[in-house]
Amino acid sequence: MSDPRDELVDHLGAMRAFAISLTRNTAMADDLVQDTLVKAWTNIDKFEEGSNMRAWLFTILRNTYYSLRRKRRREVEDADGVLSEQLSQKPDHDGRLNMRDFNIAFEQLNDEQREALVLVGAGGFSYEEAAETCGVKVGTIKSRVNRGRARLTELMMLDEDDPIELTDTVTAGIVSQQSVA
């Protein structure tokens, strides 16, 4: 019988990507992943052997994020990125402009749609795993993914057949209709 703690490290990259998608801030995402790992480590006795470690960790991460979000409602944040945009300007080329348009559109989605798209499109979760992580039915996840993709297409003023040049595979996975079914 192996110690489930040994498996924690296998999921760090995916956890960090999910945390970044939720927080939209790498420093906060790293803190969120660290908090998640501490909680998982100290509560490893609650992990059921044979169950999905990745889904368990993502559930802890998600719950930790929403708990922290509720606590920080009174804090001043740079949610729109106005202050951070003034700090530096990266060169704009076609891929960067498309990425900027995607980020603007993606931030306009509601939390549930954004979360579903990240889990299914970028995280590679099956609909069933995403539903388990979010604590909802599979049909709800499918609906959120479908509505989120449709809304992104609308916000980015794309036709379904239009190619889009994106600079990273995670974003391409989010907007792709051919992601995990």
Side-chain angles (χ1 to χ4, degrees):
M1 195 182 329
S2 65
D3 186 355
R5 289 180 182 97
D6 296 338
E7 194 180 337
L8 293 176
V9 109
D10 297 340
H11 304 287
L12 287 176
M15 288 172 51
R16 186 168 191 268
F18 184 47
I20 289 171
S21 75
L22 291 173
T23 63
R24 293 177 228 117
N25 178 305
T26 55
M28 287 175 59
D30 290 340
D31 290 344
L32 183 59
V33 169
Q34 183 176 0
D35 290 346
T36 300
L37 288 172
V38 169
K39 288 179 181 182
W41 190 272
T42 57
N43 293 295
I44 201 72
D45 57 310
K46 295 178 184 173
F47 176 72
E48 296 177 25
E49 189 174 337
S51 63
N52 188 333
M53 172 67 78
R54 186 166 133 179
W56 185 68
L57 290 170
F58 272 58
T59 300
I60 294 170
L61 189 143
R62 178 181 178 268
N63 292 341
T64 302
Y65 167 72
Y66 285 116
S67 293
L68 290 172
R69 188 171 153 188
R70 282 188 297 273
K71 288 179 186 176
R72 293 182 178 159
R73 281 197 177 150
R74 293 186 203 117
E75 293 180 9
V76 175
E77 292 187 20
D78 186 20
D80 296 352
V82 174
L83 298 174
S84 63
E85 284 179 356
Q86 294 173 0
L87 296 176
S88 68
Q89 177 73 29
K90 296 186 181 192
D92 288 332
H93 56 77
D94 290 346
R96 178 136 338 262
L97 290 173
N98 285 337
M99 191 63 172
R100 186 193 68 200
D101 292 345
F102 170 80
N103 285 333
I104 290 168
F106 193 66
E107 286 195 24
Q108 292 180 43
L109 298 177
N110 65 42
D111 287 345
E112 291 81 10
Q113 289 174 346
R114 192 171 44 248
E115 180 178 66
L117 285 171
V118 168
L119 290 172
V120 174
F125 276 62
S126 69
Y127 286 117
E128 292 76 12
E129 290 172 324
E132 180 182 330
T133 299
C134 295
V136 297
K137 294 182 180 182
V138 175
T140 302
I141 288 294
K142 287 181 179 182
S143 175
R144 288 176 182 174
V145 167
N146 188 36
R147 288 181 183 164
R149 286 182 178 146
R151 183 75 176 127
L152 280 175
T153 301
E154 175 187 329
L155 290 169
M156 294 177 70
M157 294 179 274
L158 298 172
D159 291 333
E160 289 186 11
D161 299 328
D162 283 351
I164 182 167
E165 177 188 339
L166 296 172
T167 57
D168 70 279
T169 56
V170 171
T171 305
I174 289 173
V175 297
S176 171
Q177 295 292 332
Q178 288 81 32
S179 65
V180 178

